[in-house]
Amino acid sequence: MQDLAINLVASALAAVAAWLVQRGVSYRRLARMRGFFGLAEGAPSLLIAGRHWSSPRVSSVHRNDMGAIVELGAIVKDCGGRADLVPAAEAPKELGKVTEFCIGGPESNPRTGAHLRALMPGVRVTTYEEGGERVPILVGDERYERQPHEEAHVLLARALPTAHPVFLLIGQTALANLAAARYLAGHHRELQRQYGDSSPFCLVLKVRQPGAYGPDLVELVGDVTEAAFDGTTPPALPKQRRSWRMVGRRP
């Protein structure tokens, strides 16, 4: 009987110890995640989405951008923070007071354009008017072009104007924005190990065969942090003459 009691006590102590260890591991993971995203329990954050290109309503958002918002909102929730969705046209006139997630390029999201000019002068994102359906993204001396129906690129960046970071997801398509949001959600631990909590970064991701696989087949093309943040602005593209007019929906 005494042996049974000792075994029960030992089992209880082992269970408590295992629970404490697991709780400690979970707490450390949460602390690292909060540090990476600049969030805290109950802290507000902004999700600033670009306007749907074909809608006259300033608050209209593409369905794939909404998917990106859901992914980013889940990140904020996991950190115990609060996510406020704000149309780009209604973005607050302030910077660095809260963590910010900015979705879409300058053509649909003026807030992105402001961030690029102020924080990432080495990046130039062209419009459909300038670059056609390939809408090249220029980072330093590198040029990344979309291959319609085959591949699209997206920049995933973290700028640090203050202790509260600005995350930018700048894709050549709305589907690429969604792919970047999923990449951030799935790889933030690796990114935290590589860049810590206080270093900016800018990555180029490629979405392959989006027509067949949607946002699921994504590869890392490269780290262009130095070129993006070094202050060298890529030259403007020459205006193209076109005898045709784009019809139908943009991706």
Side-chain angles (χ1 to χ4, degrees):
M1 200 64 186
Q2 185 178 4
D3 290 343
L4 179 59
I6 291 173
N7 289 335
L8 288 174
V9 171
S11 297
L13 290 174
V16 170
W19 179 81
L20 290 173
V21 169
Q22 184 62 38
R23 185 173 178 83
V25 170
S26 298
Y27 178 81
R28 287 195 296 273
R29 285 179 179 173
L30 177 59
R32 287 195 294 266
M33 187 176 181
R34 286 175 172 174
F36 179 80
F37 288 107
L39 292 166
E41 181 70 32
S45 63
L46 296 177
L47 305 179
I48 302 179
R51 181 179 67 84
H52 194 302
W53 73 272
S54 67
S55 174
R57 298 172 53 196
V58 296
S59 59
S60 179
V61 177
H62 193 283
R63 67 180 183 277
N64 286 322
D65 283 341
M66 282 303 304
I69 288 167
V70 171
E71 295 284 347
L72 298 172
I75 289 173
V76 175
K77 182 179 179 182
D78 287 345
C79 290
R82 187 184 78 243
D84 298 322
L85 177 59
V86 181
E90 300 174 13
K93 305 298 188 288
E94 57 188 29
L95 176 65
K97 291 187 176 181
V98 300
T99 293
E100 181 178 326
F101 299 88
C102 207
I103 305 163
E107 189 172 17
S108 66
N109 191 336
R111 182 76 168 179
T112 297
H115 287 326
L116 291 179
R117 290 189 295 271
L119 306 174
M120 298 172 62
V123 175
R124 175 170 171 76
V125 180
T126 61
T127 65
Y128 272 78
E129 182 63 26
E130 294 172 310
E133 62 182 359
R134 294 185 182 273
V135 284
I137 295 174
L138 293 82
V139 187
D141 296 330
E142 298 296 327
R143 179 186 180 105
Y144 303 94
E145 293 191 348
R146 172 178 174 251
Q147 305 296 326
H149 312 298
E150 296 293 329
E151 62 184 40
H153 297 88
V154 56
L155 297 184
L156 172 60
R158 180 180 69 178
L160 292 157
T162 68
H164 297 288
V166 175
F167 288 88
L168 296 107
L169 294 77
I170 308 171
Q172 292 168 324
T173 66
L175 188 70
N177 294 336
L178 173 55
R182 289 187 178 179
Y183 187 92
L184 182 61
H187 293 80
H188 63 83
R189 292 179 185 171
E190 297 97 305
L191 295 173
Q192 198 273 339
R193 285 194 292 270
Q194 183 169 358
Y195 300 103
D197 300 338
S198 56
S199 295
F201 62 80
C202 182
L203 308 178
V204 180
L205 307 176
K206 181 191 295 184
V207 185
R208 298 174 55 199
Q209 297 298 322
Y213 304 121
D216 291 337
L217 190 57
V218 179
E219 66 180 51
L220 174 62
V221 176
D223 182 330
V224 293
T225 302
E226 185 176 354
F229 289 93
D230 73 353
T232 303
T233 306
L237 291 176
K239 291 205 172 186
Q240 300 182 14
R241 296 189 177 203
R242 289 203 196 92
S243 59
W244 54 272
R245 184 175 162 196
M246 189 172 292
V247 296
R249 298 183 62 187
R250 292 181 191 169

